[in-house]
Amino acid sequence: MMPAPPPDRSSSIEPLLRHQLRQAIQASIVEANKAKRHCAVLVLAAEPKDRLLLLTQDWVDARIEQALSELPTLLRKVDRYASLGQRQWCVLLPGLTNVAQAVLAAHKISRSLSELLSDQPGKPWARILIGIACHPEHATDADALLIRADAAQRQAEASEDGICVFLPDPAQEDDACLPAIRSEVLDALASNNYRLAYQPQIDLASGRCHAAEALLRCTLPNGSRVPPTMLARVAEQEGKVATLTMNVLNSALRQLGEWSSRGIDMRVSVNLSPYNLRDRDLPDVVAGAIASWEIDAQRLTLEIVESSMIHNFDQAASILNRLKALGVKLAVDDFGTGYSCLAYLRQLPVDELKVDQSLVRHILRSKADRQLVRATIDLAHNFGLHAVAEGVETIEMLEVLSEMRCDTIQGYLISAPIEAEHYPDWLRHFEADALLRPSPGFCNVSTHPKQQGRTAVRP
Ligand code: C2E
Ligand code: MG
Ligand code: MG
């Protein structure tokens, strides 16, 4: 158990600056290694109810600041803390004997702060969300611990008690190599050293390609490739995600304009980070980009993930409604992997559901996954939405999806993401191939000898 915190304010610990925090985390990792102990990083946020925030932002901020000023009284003398920005704090707990101690400490902090943020007992007007990452269980250096505690804090929104220990996610395993290349990734972000590749999307009814998803690509000077999820995560960490998204958006729209001038009629999808839906300026940025590249807004789809809505539904909904009013289309990406709160589908102006590839992957082998994908496609149609299947790698998968009346497919079967300059050539060949196909319905593709046994071409 954690020793009781010092109640006496005179022994209260002082907050660290951000760079001091990183140094302190690194130092406690070294200590932990020597003493065969553990240390934990907690990322803590106070999330006020949105309506309250609209009405009385200054009051809310002052009360939260006041509550957080009590944080040192909840910590041990050896613990450290630092502000990470508005309503966000980081706590370092060194010298632990196990992860459970960090969880107990988080519960204690959460309970005490919630009380301070309540006007009636047990009814806080702001929620305390805490993400926990421990050394050596979840990461072994300061940056990775911070990233993972931050990731856990976002997951904490979905947990009942607002506390979440980092859950290793196979998709985030790339993080393991992040510390080694973090400064190069930061350089790449600072110098806009990234580009877009475009993955075609095929309309199953016509077999034609009228759309592509823009996907980030970043190669470091030493030739290694940075996964786009890592680039986006570092941008989120560093508060640079608005710039990243703006650059991606402008680049994709400029590309659309260029293709259009060459007679290529495309639509493009751009991925948004959940952080973009906390930025009230986003609709103005999108409107500005559409206007400056003179693109019909209908040709742009913005992809959001389900967790963007969970964070702060009212704010995200208001931003999405403003985006929709511009005429852009909205897609829910990776549908089926997140919290799948179906109520929002009714309330939000989305046009498209992208069934996540982890569900699509096993449709041939797993009856349960097949049923899940079919139900998701039906759900999309019942809500008047377009269903897109991601990660389609074989003709057999395409046939099953076609039988399920999926509208659009995307995956290595058709093509891996293609560099912009090669896209027109790819499209020309694809269209030429289409003339050989026996019927407009793409579902018949496997009956053609040229297509027999065709499987994915991996990037
Ligand atoms: P996503 O938006 O769901 O994109 C689909 C991912 O699946 C892409 O990975 C794509 O290359 C991959 N993929 C496509 N077809 C297949 C297939 O048949 N099989 C398999 N196994 N994979 C397939 P990629 O390019 O590595 O991107 C990963 C994720 O990074 C994206 O997932 C998206 O969440 C994020 N991302 C990419 N570009 C951006 C961006 O501009 N901004 C933000 N915020 N995130 C981005
Ligand atoms: Mg996407
Ligand atoms: Mg996806």
Side-chain angles (χ1 to χ4, degrees), residues 168-218:
D169 164 359
Q172 295 189 2
E173 283 310 299
D174 296 328
D175 278 358
C177 65
L178 177 57
I181 58 167
R182 188 178 174 85
S183 67
E184 283 96 330
V185 175
L186 288 172
D187 287 347
L189 283 169
S191 55
N192 300 340
N193 177 22
Y194 42 80
R195 60 198 187 283
L196 295 177
Y198 294 85
Q199 188 173 35
Q201 297 179 333
I202 307 301
D203 173 56
L204 276 182
S206 66
R208 309 294 299 271
C209 173
H210 289 307
E213 177 174 6
L215 293 158
L216 267 170
R217 292 292 175 263
C218 172

Side-chain angles (χ1 to χ4, degrees), residues 246-306:
M246 188 182 72
N247 289 343
V248 167
L249 189 64
N250 277 289
S251 174
L253 293 180
R254 183 189 53 73
Q255 191 63 65
L256 267 195
E258 192 197 309
W259 285 337
S260 217
S261 67
R262 295 167 64 178
I264 300 172
D265 182 25
M266 262 301 132
R267 283 186 284 114
V268 76
S269 298
V270 165
N271 290 282
L272 295 185
S273 148
Y275 281 76
N276 293 133
L277 290 191
R278 302 179 191 183
D279 176 3
R280 290 177 208 275
D281 293 337
L282 179 72
D284 296 335
V285 170
V286 174
I290 289 169
S292 50
W293 298 106
E294 298 178 353
I295 297 292
D296 175 3
Q298 297 246 3
R299 293 170 62 198
L300 172 66
T301 299
L302 296 174
E303 297 191 2
I304 52 169
V305 284
E306 292 171 81

Side-chain angles (χ1 to χ4, degrees), residues 356-412:
D356 189 64
Q357 46 183 290
S358 62
L359 295 181
V360 175
R361 189 172 300 137
H362 303 298
I363 47 169
L364 299 178
R365 274 182 282 135
S366 155
K367 190 173 171 200
D369 281 16
R370 213 158 39 244
Q371 283 169 337
L372 214 53
V373 171
R374 186 188 293 279
T376 309
I377 292 170
D378 289 346
L379 177 86
H381 291 160
N382 290 339
F383 278 99
L385 310 179
H386 201 80
V388 181
E390 300 185 298
V392 180
E393 297 194 349
T394 65
I395 285 191
E396 291 74 19
M397 290 164 87
L398 182 151
E399 284 176 331
V400 171
L401 288 159
S402 176
E403 184 270 320
M404 291 175 177
R405 308 181 71 79
C406 183
D407 301 294
T408 298
I409 57 157
Q410 179 180 342
Y412 296 161

Side-chain angles (χ1 to χ4, degrees), residues 118-190:
S118 305
D119 286 328
Q120 292 171 47
K123 293 210 170 149
W125 45 262
R127 201 165 176 227
I128 299 293
L129 301 173
I130 302 181
I132 304 170
C134 294
H135 164 84
E137 286 77 6
H138 307 127
T140 50
D141 75 89
D143 289 332
L145 269 177
L146 275 164
I147 288 177
R148 294 189 162 189
D150 181 65
Q153 191 262 315
R154 273 178 272 146
Q155 289 164 5
E157 287 156 2
S159 84
E160 210 167 298
D161 55 12
I163 293 171
C164 180
V165 180
F166 176 76
L167 270 181
D169 164 359
Q172 295 189 2
E173 283 310 299
D174 296 328
D175 278 358
C177 65
L178 177 57
I181 58 167
R182 188 178 174 85
S183 67
E184 283 96 330
V185 175
L186 288 172
D187 287 347
L189 283 169

